[in-house]
């Protein structure tokens, strides 16, 4: 069975500091992967999607970037965090319907 | 942009009763998913429908693409059904872009 892992579980970071969030899926080759973000009290928004290594498409620009360095890895990052980056980040695997990872809660202070 | 209007925003039920959540779409959607938020904030899949109805235990969902709506029926509600439920619809153009409803907070009381 496929399992989706995200790391870290939670982060507290300072404004202006860099960020790297990871997502990996085990048990599936060449998965379609998505990054989502939800501000506190807000609606889930798709940020990026990737269907293969080295390929990433942006859905919503939030001063974030994403990369797909390995088949089973999807990374979300920024060099300088903003206060508005706080929220809950979810990675999803999409064979057809979407399956979500456990999420990372980010607090930017 | 595409809109998904989910109602009600909050729902209170007594144990053993039932009700329905509804999502209306402003445009034709290819498929709909229903999720429940877990204790950590992630989403658990309940249903994925491209058409028709599906049933799982005390939950039943329907999707009518032509009439632009989907429903999630809960019957014989139990205390553990309390939580936040979301619908999300997929338009089907290009990648699988999901547009989420704002959620329904369900509270089941004794």
């Amino acid at each position: 069975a496929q399992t989706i892992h995200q790391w870290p579980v939670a982060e507290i970071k300072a404004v202006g500091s860099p960020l790297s969030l990871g997502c990996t899926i085990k048990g599936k080759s060449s998965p379609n992967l998505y990054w989502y973000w939800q501000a506190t009290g807000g609606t889930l928004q798709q940020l990026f999607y990737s269907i293969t290594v080295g390929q990433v498409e942006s859905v919503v620009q939030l001063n974030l970037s994403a990369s797909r360095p390995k088949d089973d890895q999807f990374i979300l990052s920024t060099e300088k965090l903003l206060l508005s980056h706080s929220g809950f980040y979810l990675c999803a695997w999409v064979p057809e319907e979407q399956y979500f990872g456990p999420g990372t809660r980010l607090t930017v202070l | 942009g595409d809109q998904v209007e989910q109602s009600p925003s909050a729902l209170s039920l007594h144990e053993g009763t039932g009700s329905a959540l509804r999502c209306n779409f402003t445009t034709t959607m290819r498929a709909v998913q229903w999720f429940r938020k877990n204790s950590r904030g992630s989403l658990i899949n309940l249903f994925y429908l491209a058409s028709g109805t599906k049933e799982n235990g005390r939950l039943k969902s329907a999707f009518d693409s032509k009439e632009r709506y989907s429903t999630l029926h809960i019957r014989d509600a139990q205390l553990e059904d309390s939580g936040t439920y979301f619908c999300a619809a997929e338009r089907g153009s290009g990648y699988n872009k999901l547009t989420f409803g704002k959620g329904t907070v369900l509270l089941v009381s004794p």
Side-chain angles (χ1 to χ4, degrees):
Chain A
Q2 293 78 22
T3 55
I4 306 172
H5 302 274
Q6 286 187 244
W7 70 92
V9 171
E11 279 252 57
I12 299 176
K13 303 276 281 186
V15 170
S17 63
L19 172 76
S20 181
L21 303 182
C23 169
T24 189
I25 178 166
K26 298 301 180 186
K28 178 65 183 176
S29 61
S30 300
N32 291 350
L33 296 172
Y34 288 72
W35 276 111
Y36 284 82
W37 169 72
Q38 183 177 31
T40 303
T43 308
L44 264 174
Q45 294 186 68
Q46 285 178 315
L47 299 178
F48 299 94
Y49 76 97
S50 171
I51 60 174
T52 191
V53 173
Q55 179 268 343
V56 175
E57 296 293 334
S58 171
V59 180
V60 172
Q61 290 287 347
L62 283 178
N63 294 307
L64 296 166
S65 60
S67 64
R68 184 85 176 264
K70 297 180 183 178
D71 187 52
D72 64 348
Q73 225 175 64
F74 201 19
I75 307 296
L76 185 69
S77 60
T78 182
E79 292 190 358
K80 286 188 177 181
L81 278 166
L82 307 173
L83 284 174
S84 57
H85 286 137
S86 291
F88 194 60
Y89 289 82
L90 282 167
C91 178
W93 167 51
V94 190
E96 185 178 38
E97 59 197 283
Q98 302 205 13
Y99 295 91
F100 287 86
T104 296
R105 191 161 299 282
L106 174 67
T107 303
V108 182
L109 302 174
Chain B
D2 299 341
Q3 293 287 331
V4 175
E5 298 162 358
Q6 185 172 344
S7 62
S9 57
L11 178 63
S12 292
L13 295 176
H14 287 296
E15 269 187 300
T17 65
S19 188
L21 314 180
R22 184 179 176 105
C23 281
N24 292 324
F25 314 120
T26 57
T27 188
T28 301
M29 298 296 186
R30 187 180 80 87
V32 67
Q33 280 190 255
W34 284 91
F35 299 94
R36 177 179 170 175
K37 203 171 194 178
N38 68 8
S39 57
R40 193 179 154 175
S42 188
L43 298 173
I44 306 299
N45 293 55
L46 297 177
F47 293 103
Y48 174 81
L49 297 101
S51 65
T53 63
K54 285 187 179 179
E55 192 165 355
N56 184 5
R58 295 177 289 102
L59 298 178
K60 181 177 180 179
S61 183
F63 173 49
D64 190 325
S65 176
K66 186 179 176 183
E67 298 299 322
R68 301 183 182 180
Y69 77 90
S70 177
T71 56
L72 177 68
H73 291 260
I74 301 173
R75 62 175 175 84
D76 187 25
Q78 302 297 305
L79 296 178
E80 59 265 27
D81 293 333
S82 295
T84 305
Y85 294 77
F86 292 91
C87 70
E90 175 193 326
R91 193 169 179 185
S93 55
Y95 62 96
N96 301 47
K97 182 179 187 298
L98 279 187
T99 303
F100 280 79
K102 293 189 175 181
T104 296
V105 179
L106 172 64
L107 177 63
V108 181
S109 55

